[in-house]
Amino acid sequence: MLTLDRVSKVYRVGTFGTQPLNAVRDVSLTVPPGVVVSLIGESGSGKSTIGRMVLRLTPVTSGAIAFDGRDVAGLSGHRARKGYYRHVQGVFQDPFSSFNPIFPVDRVFDMLRGAYFPGLSDTEWRASVRRGTERVGLDPGQVLGRYPHQLSGGQLQRLLIARALTLDIRLLVADEIISMLDASTRIDVLNLLGDLRAEGLGILFVTHDLALGTYVSDTTVILRRGAVAEMGPTRQVYASPRHPYTRGLLASVPRMHRTWADADAELDSAAGPCPVHSGPGTAGPVEVGPDHFVGCFSDDACPE
Amino acid sequence: MTVEVSELRVHYRTLRGSVQALDGASLEVGDGEVMGVVGESGCGKSTLGKSLIRMDGRMRHVGGSVRLGGEELPIADDRAMQRFRYHEVSLIPQYAMSAMNPTRRIGRMIRELLESRGVRYAEVRRELERRLELVGLGADVLKRFPIELSGGMKQRVVLVLSTLRDPSLLIADEATSALDVANQRAVAEALVQFRDRGFIGSMLFITHDLALVAQLADTVTVMYAGRSAESAPTSELLRRPRHPYTRMLLSAVPEVGTTIDESRQEGIPGSPPALLDPPSGCRFKDRCPLAFEQCATRPPFIEVASGHRVACWKAE
Ligand SMILES: Nc1ncnc2c1ncn2[C@@H]1O[C@H](COP(=O)(O)OP(=O)(O)OP(=O)(O)O)[C@@H](O)[C@H]1O
Ligand code: SF4
Ligand SMILES: [Mg+2]
């Protein structure tokens, strides 16, 4: 469904835009229907840039992003783009900023109506909004018609997902959507993503939280400085992480019943040689097990 | 120094009435102890932190007291608090990092902050540099702008700055929440190191993250709707939680590496009560699976085992 093929993004920074900043380097991945792919990385690792490129909020510098085999960058014309957004939507970190505080929350839905559902009658439209709201586990009577400040962050975040669901979406880009929520609300939103996944939705789940990213994800992608450090089936990456960076991150995740010091002790220092440099001289990640890829160990990603 | 907060009540004045954000919060932090303060969003954690250092114009001290080393803190008296603020009680506020002025070099910002608190920059400069070094930052950070630093670096600067006068009590409000796990660990370990070196007396570590509390706190207080629900040594609280709310909060956190298909966790049904007009009795009763008639009266916050206090009629 969604394919990224050696996608890179270079921002120009500095006084005259003279310095290149390699925000994303040579990232390839796929998100099939009904699969959650977690993109995990620290701030500045390029994970949100990838989400933004998928949503066409910023252009790719090189490489290609395709949805159902069609190049996303090349969608020309209003109709083609609208068709794309009918299937691909994003939800972001701060739910409050997506709502206008002076209007009832329903307004975020209404903004879609003119563009996508001009033919629907008022009754049909309201029914569709209610259905979306129920699908995310909210009671429409409790949330619709209310103002943003009257609802919790978790409720607002679910409404934004509901809004995406009123369209015929097949891919959701969820960028740090749980980072501002507390533990109990987080798990509710994650469970919702799990349920939507079971209904066939593909999800690109962008997060800095290694602990929770895995709970719903089928595939885990660990990004470091814009490049894939490690990528594979979630279970595999957790059970036998190969990249020293992944291993370090896993040891830093705070756990309820294991101290950091114990985690360090478990982390045997022998991560093995860099598979990229000891392998057949490719630049990108090397397959070390079924669908399990490991990038270069050197600090500055692979030599370009 | 020990910190005793007893039955603290601080409300917010609003057009629609008072929001009873803190309405009987109690906790005791031993000298040199790190206490984690947890609870859902809106339960009053930040209000507690602010009350111990500076109440804004809308906050009103309605009852209860705060003692620091046996001496009562004049929390309702903004001027009398001046003497304690920063020097004795210091705060790393929620969102401290994003509040940094992007157009000021770090060094200049620190100088201005210190001088506004009556501290001469030249006098503390060497100590400042020494401590920056302890958290892995060279003195050259002083010449840089906030945008040139990563979130983890900025938060370490904030940590050093807020503890430069060796406060008896540091309140860290979500100090590591915006960081990735590696930086979160570095900052959390720096906090503990500062306590061990005596730069910080006691600490209130406010967070949503119970697993993080498990790493660095000696004791934990769980708050619910403006009140203390449970307080205990960390390992005791994690292994033998007694309050139904604590139990549900703990079970909402998936074990790292488990997936939804293996073990689906559940959140706490419902949401915390509105504090403009909170229910009488136990504030958790609408969500509590154990609620019974007696819960219509407020349960006292009493000791059930050494150092373990619970506010629940069903906890023995
Ligand atoms: N200035 C204010 N005016 C009125 N009510 C307020 C104000 N600030 C906070 N509140 C209310 O006081 C209660 C406690 O808020 P507080 O910020 O202390 O919670 P918190 O536990 O720190 O939450 P979070 O985990 O989201 O940081 C909430 O119900 C909140 O809506
Ligand atoms: S006092 Fe009652 S309602 Fe409150 S937590 Fe205990 S059993 Fe539940
Ligand atoms: Mg807070």
Side-chain angles (χ1 to χ4, degrees):
Chain A
M1 189 173 59
L2 180 81
T3 328
L4 273 70
D5 184 20
R6 306 201 58 180
V7 170
S8 296
K9 173 76 189 181
V10 182
Y11 287 111
R12 296 270 153 200
V13 296
T15 324
F16 299 104
T18 44
Q19 290 173 22
L21 180 102
N22 295 300
V24 174
R25 316 182 198 218
D26 242 349
V27 170
S28 300
L29 57 87
T30 57
V31 186
V35 167
V36 180
V37 174
S38 291
L39 266 183
I40 298 176
E42 58 181 30
S43 71
S45 61
K47 57 191 190 307
S48 293
T49 304
I50 293 176
R52 290 172 54 79
M53 288 190 289
V54 170
L55 291 168
R56 300 174 29 101
L57 297 172
T58 187
V60 301
T61 307
S62 66
I65 300 181
F67 186 74
D68 285 345
R70 282 188 68 191
D71 182 25
V72 166
L75 296 174
S76 58
H78 184 61
R79 271 181 77 94
R81 284 196 292 271
K82 210 161 104 175
Y84 181 65
Y85 289 125
R86 196 182 280 280
H87 298 309
V88 179
Q89 286 280 320
V91 178
F92 302 92
Q93 175 163 15
D94 177 6
F96 293 92
S97 66
S98 300
F99 289 87
N100 186 328
I102 63 171
F103 292 109
V105 293
D106 315 42
R107 190 174 155 97
V108 294
F109 290 93
D110 295 340
M111 295 184 319
L112 292 181
R113 186 176 175 187
Y116 291 96
F117 307 99
L120 284 191
S121 71
D122 280 358
T123 330
E124 285 168 326
W125 171 244
R126 272 200 299 275
S128 152
V129 170
R130 292 179 71 90
R131 263 199 312 280
T133 314
E134 280 163 4
R135 247 178 102 189
V136 297
L138 293 173
D139 174 357
Q142 293 238 349
V143 292
L144 298 177
R146 305 264 230 131
Y147 289 87
H149 72 265
Q150 296 175 310
L151 300 181
S152 70
Q155 287 173 318
L156 294 176
Q157 207 59 291
R158 276 192 268 187
L159 275 177
L160 291 171
I161 298 172
R163 169 187 193 260
L165 295 177
T166 54
L167 298 171
D168 179 21
I169 63 161
R170 292 161 52 208
L171 176 74
L172 181 72
V173 177
D175 189 351
E176 295 282 9
I177 61 168
I178 54 167
S179 59
M180 292 178 64
L181 308 176
D182 60 49
S184 158
T185 318
R186 272 182 189 178
I187 206 77
D188 290 340
V189 171
L190 288 173
N191 286 341
L192 168 63
L193 295 185
D195 296 341
L196 294 172
R197 173 191 72 160
E199 293 168 25
L201 185 69
I203 302 176
L204 188 61
F205 185 72
V206 178
T207 182
H208 72 275
D209 192 332
L210 196 60
L212 289 178
T214 59
Y215 177 68
V216 286
S217 72
D218 303 287
T219 303
T220 293
V221 181
I222 309 279
L223 281 179
R224 184 180 64 151
R225 296 185 204 176
V228 172
E230 186 152 4
M231 168 165 83
T234 297
R235 195 183 298 274
Q236 201 59 36
V237 172
Y238 269 73
S240 36
R242 290 285 302 274
H243 198 290
Y245 180 68
T246 316
R247 295 156 76 89
L249 283 181
L250 280 169
S252 296
V253 174
R255 298 195 188 181
M256 214 84 87
H257 300 289
R258 187 200 67 181
T259 65
W260 277 323
D262 287 347
D264 288 342
E266 283 167 29
L267 192 78
D268 54 304
S269 52
C274 169
V276 178
H277 279 112
S278 55
T282 56
V286 169
E287 191 160 5
V288 297
D291 294 322
H292 186 175
F293 295 84
V294 175
C296 178
F297 286 7
S298 113
D299 256 2
D300 294 301
C302 253
E304 276 136 287
Chain B
M1 260 188 245
T2 56
V3 184
E4 292 158 75
V5 174
S6 37
E7 277 295 302
L8 187 62
R9 302 176 66 214
V10 172
H11 296 177
Y12 288 98
R13 265 190 291 253
T14 71
L15 288 176
R16 292 187 300 154
S18 346
V19 176
Q20 306 179 19
L22 272 190
D23 206 50
S26 298
L27 51 86
E28 267 173 51
V29 194
D31 191 18
E33 209 170 84
V34 177
M35 174 180 274
V37 179
V38 299
E40 277 165 293
S41 197
C43 70
K45 304 181 297 293
S46 295
T47 306
L48 172 67
K50 284 190 280 179
S51 301
L52 303 190
I53 188 146
R54 170 177 281 132
M55 299 224 240
D56 67 46
R58 286 184 292 183
M59 292 165 80
R60 204 158 46 89
H61 179 204
V62 182
S65 65
V66 180
R67 291 174 163 275
L68 184 65
E71 182 183 2
E72 179 147 0
L73 274 185
I75 58 166
D77 185 341
D78 192 58
R79 293 220 12 222
M81 273 302 285
Q82 196 66 38
R83 177 162 74 86
F84 296 93
R85 221 170 266 148
Y86 185 62
H87 304 270
E88 283 296 320
V89 184
S90 189
L91 172 76
I92 301 181
Q94 199 167 358
Y95 316 118
M97 285 192 282
S98 42
M100 280 187 181
N101 183 339
T103 66
R104 286 263 197 287
R105 288 185 201 275
I106 302 282
R108 172 145 174 229
M109 187 189 72
I110 292 181
R111 172 195 295 261
E112 287 173 355
L113 267 160
L114 287 172
E115 285 171 357
S116 76
R117 308 216 147 108
V119 180
R120 295 217 13 240
Y121 187 60
E123 268 168 32
V124 294
R125 170 124 195 199
R126 284 198 51 193
E127 187 60 19
L128 174 67
E129 286 175 2
R130 183 171 90 92
R131 293 192 183 183
L132 286 171
E133 201 124 326
L134 282 177
V135 297
L137 298 173
D140 63 312
V141 292
L142 297 172
K143 298 196 196 84
R144 313 208 3 219
F145 289 99
I147 47 162
E148 297 177 275
L149 307 185
S150 71
M153 290 164 86
K154 275 192 269 191
Q155 206 58 327
R156 276 176 272 179
V157 170
V158 172
L159 163 63
V160 167
L161 173 61
S162 37
T163 55
L164 205 52
R165 301 306 298 197
D166 299 350
S168 305
L169 172 66
L170 177 73
I171 301 151
D173 191 355
E174 303 282 2
T176 65
S177 305
L179 305 175
D180 58 82
V181 287
N183 277 299
Q184 178 178 67
R185 176 175 175 179
V187 171
E189 288 181 335
L191 280 167
V192 172
Q193 183 201 13
F194 273 29
R195 188 269 314 262
D196 294 344
R197 287 175 181 268
F199 301 163
I200 302 171
S202 312
M203 184 165 24
L204 285 177
F205 187 83
I206 298 174
T207 178
H208 282 138
D209 191 342
L210 282 151
L212 187 57
V213 159
Q215 300 300 319
L216 83 167
D218 305 305
T219 57
V220 190
T221 291
V222 179
M223 290 183 57
Y224 186 74
R227 293 178 178 162
S228 305
E230 182 161 11
S231 197
T234 307
S235 59
E236 165 94 1
L237 187 112
L238 296 179
R239 295 205 170 81
R240 281 178 292 277
R242 309 237 190 165
H243 198 289
Y245 177 62
T246 312
R247 291 195 188 138
M248 292 169 92
L249 204 57
L250 284 169
S251 69
V253 185
E255 199 41 60
V256 177
T258 63
T259 64
I260 188 168
D261 303 319
E262 294 161 358
S263 74
R264 187 181 167 112
Q265 315 295 126
E266 293 301 334
I268 307 174
S271 45
L275 298 179
L276 201 52
D277 181 24
S280 59
C282 176
R283 288 187 171 177
F284 190 54
K285 66 178 187 290
D286 293 344
R287 300 169 86 187
C288 181
L290 305 181
F292 63 121
E293 311 84 69
Q294 199 173 357
C295 307
T297 19
R298 179 183 170 188
F301 188 48
I302 47 168
E303 191 147 43
V304 291
S306 169
H308 194 157
R309 292 212 279 170
V310 187
C312 170
W313 293 119
K314 281 274 163 99
E316 265 99 57

